[in-house]
Amino acid sequence: MVMATFKNVGIHHGLAVVLLLALAGCWDEAAGTNNIPPSGFVRTRNTQFVLNGSPFLFNGFNSYWMMTVASQPSERHKVTDVFRQAAAAGLTVCRTWAFSDGGNQALQLSPGVYSEPVFQGLDFVISEAKKYGIRLILALSNNYHDYGGRAQYVNWARAAGVPVENEDDFYTNAVVKAYYKNHVKKVLTRINSFTRVAYKDEPTIMAWELMNEPRCQADYSGKTVNGWIQEMAPYVKSIDNNHLLTVGMEGFYGDSIPDRKQYNPGYQVGTDFISNHMIKEIDFATIHAYADVWVSGQSDDAQMTFVQRWMTSHWTDSRTILRKPLVFAEFGKSKKDPGYSTTVRDSFLNSVYTSIYNFAKNGGTLGGGLVWQIMAEGMDSYFDGYEIVLSQDPSTTNVIAQQSNKMTALEHTLTVPL
């Protein structure tokens, strides 16, 4: 996201005590955590994620802000707090940004010119994730103007005298594409200043994401974006073949299978869930869902029905057409929605989590979900309505922890396909 931006369930009393101690910072990290530093790279086999030869399921979260906050050493405790609290709630995958192009606190100040303090912020995020046994999905660019995005790349080219018209030239202009490739190489070959391990060799990183929510107004069919993925995915793999790679898509259908467009929320955005994920270097598919935005004005029940259909259609296509795993990479409930309450949010999350669990149980194709989004205390300026502060939202934290426990238990019952 970052653009213009159901029943509550309890947990076992003993787990609740441990969870509350950890969230309060009283948990003995040296002796009390059961998270160990990640070893081995997450792989895929058919429609399953696999780790060290065994099925890998997860419950996870988004915290896009981590690099920016960690670029200020005095603020790094917020990253640590979130990882500690997330680990206590059984969350094992975090999706965050590995980009910030131009503007305030930028990672990439101009094409090929980087801020070392901001890069050290990302180094810290990776080293802390490793400490708490949390794997990372790192997005390499943004569709939106937040943190620069496609528009910043095109503006840089324009300032250099390149004849570009609009931000959709990001996908087709040779100079702009070279800027992007340079960023990919810079990030993937970065030597972490804390761990001294190159990002491309770091098992704490689960996957790279080409872009957060790519869209293209110039071509709604999905073909322009498809051409860009066909060029960029092999480039990423030429530098780093250790890690998984995904596109970063929301899941909108395009022109390759017209019948699937019935599942879109009434429009297309220039991507094609089927063809874009069929590219061989793309290892798994993703979907996002914001029914409160995409089908706003409809009742909570109608919005939930949309989300269920969205999940079902993409799970089916991932399993039968793509033959690749699927991640529900963004979902949440905004405090800005009409009729919002914590109970409504918990009910929504529980319904989504139940569906994720049931789909995962039927063959493991849906590997897990990443709620949008977890924040630390004292981050009010970052709040977008979807924020969850684990130490301040006990009922929601319980819903999240319950899902973590269920996915862990389910993982042990699955077998790896031959």
Side-chain angles (χ1 to χ4, degrees), residues 67-68 99-115 118 145-153 155-156 183:
M67 177 183 70
T68 301
F99 65 84
S100 180
D101 305 307
N104 186 40
Q105 293 183 283
L107 172 62
Q108 187 173 194
L109 303 168
S110 60
V113 180
Y114 287 79
S115 164
V118 178
H145 291 193
D146 304 86
Y147 296 88
R150 289 191 292 128
Q152 181 63 74
Y153 277 91
N155 288 339
W156 279 334
H183 176 65

Side-chain angles (χ1 to χ4, degrees), residues 125-359:
V125 170
I126 295 169
S127 66
E128 284 296 277
K130 188 182 190 77
K131 176 180 176 182
Y132 287 97
I134 293 174
R135 294 176 186 272
L136 299 173
I137 297 176
L138 296 177
L140 294 165
S141 61
N142 201 11
N143 175 66
Y144 308 101
H145 291 193
D146 304 86
Y147 296 88
R150 289 191 292 128
Q152 181 63 74
Y153 277 91
V154 173
N155 288 339
W156 279 334
R158 185 179 292 112
V162 178
V164 288
E165 294 182 7
N166 57 58
E167 55 195 65
D168 284 333
D169 288 340
F170 175 91
Y171 298 115
T172 56
N173 182 272
V175 172
V176 177
K177 289 192 290 183
Y179 289 164
Y180 175 83
K181 286 180 178 178
N182 183 73
H183 176 65
V184 167
K185 185 175 182 180
K186 187 76 172 180
V187 172
L188 272 57
T189 59
R190 166 78 176 182
I191 305 296
N192 191 308
S193 59
F194 291 89
T195 66
R196 308 310 303 170
V197 176
Y199 287 12
K200 65 185 181 68
D201 298 322
E202 176 54 73
T204 298
I205 298 170
M206 173 180 168
W208 302 108
E209 194 173 274
L210 292 177
M211 178 183 288
N212 172 52
E213 298 187 344
R215 292 186 173 193
C216 180
Q217 291 184 315
D219 176 12
Y220 286 123
S221 72
K223 293 178 181 177
T224 296
V225 170
N226 208 65
W228 181 78
I229 299 168
Q230 287 177 322
E231 180 175 349
M232 297 308 169
Y235 180 74
V236 171
K237 290 290 190 177
S238 74
I239 299 171
D240 177 4
N241 204 33
N242 285 324
H243 289 105
L244 301 178
L245 179 64
T246 193
V247 181
M249 288 177 48
E250 300 158 277
F252 285 81
Y253 289 101
D255 288 1
S256 65
I257 304 181
D259 175 67
R260 292 301 191 278
K261 294 181 189 180
Q262 66 176 299
Y263 298 107
N264 287 343
Y267 53 90
Q268 295 172 238
V269 300
T271 57
D272 187 316
F273 177 79
I274 302 296
S275 63
N276 296 166
H277 284 118
M278 286 291 286
I279 294 167
K280 69 176 183 177
E281 292 85 3
I282 299 301
D283 297 300
F284 64 96
T286 63
I287 57 171
H288 301 177
Y290 291 100
D292 52 348
V293 177
W294 297 353
V295 289
S296 59
Q298 296 190 16
S299 68
D300 284 349
D301 286 347
Q303 291 182 13
M304 195 64 231
T305 297
F306 169 83
V307 172
Q308 297 287 5
R309 291 182 74 239
W310 191 248
M311 293 176 70
T312 301
S313 65
H314 290 87
W315 173 75
T316 301
D317 291 339
S318 297
R319 194 177 179 206
T320 61
I321 300 176
L322 301 179
R323 299 291 300 157
K324 297 178 181 182
L326 175 67
V327 174
F328 196 173
E330 285 191 31
F331 58 91
K333 192 71 173 174
S334 175
K335 296 175 181 177
K336 300 176 183 178
D337 290 344
Y340 171 85
S341 69
T342 300
T343 301
V344 168
R345 178 176 68 185
D346 292 351
S347 181
F348 171 81
L349 292 180
N350 192 46
S351 291
V352 171
Y353 283 149
T354 298
S355 293
I356 289 173
Y357 175 85
N358 287 336
F359 285 129

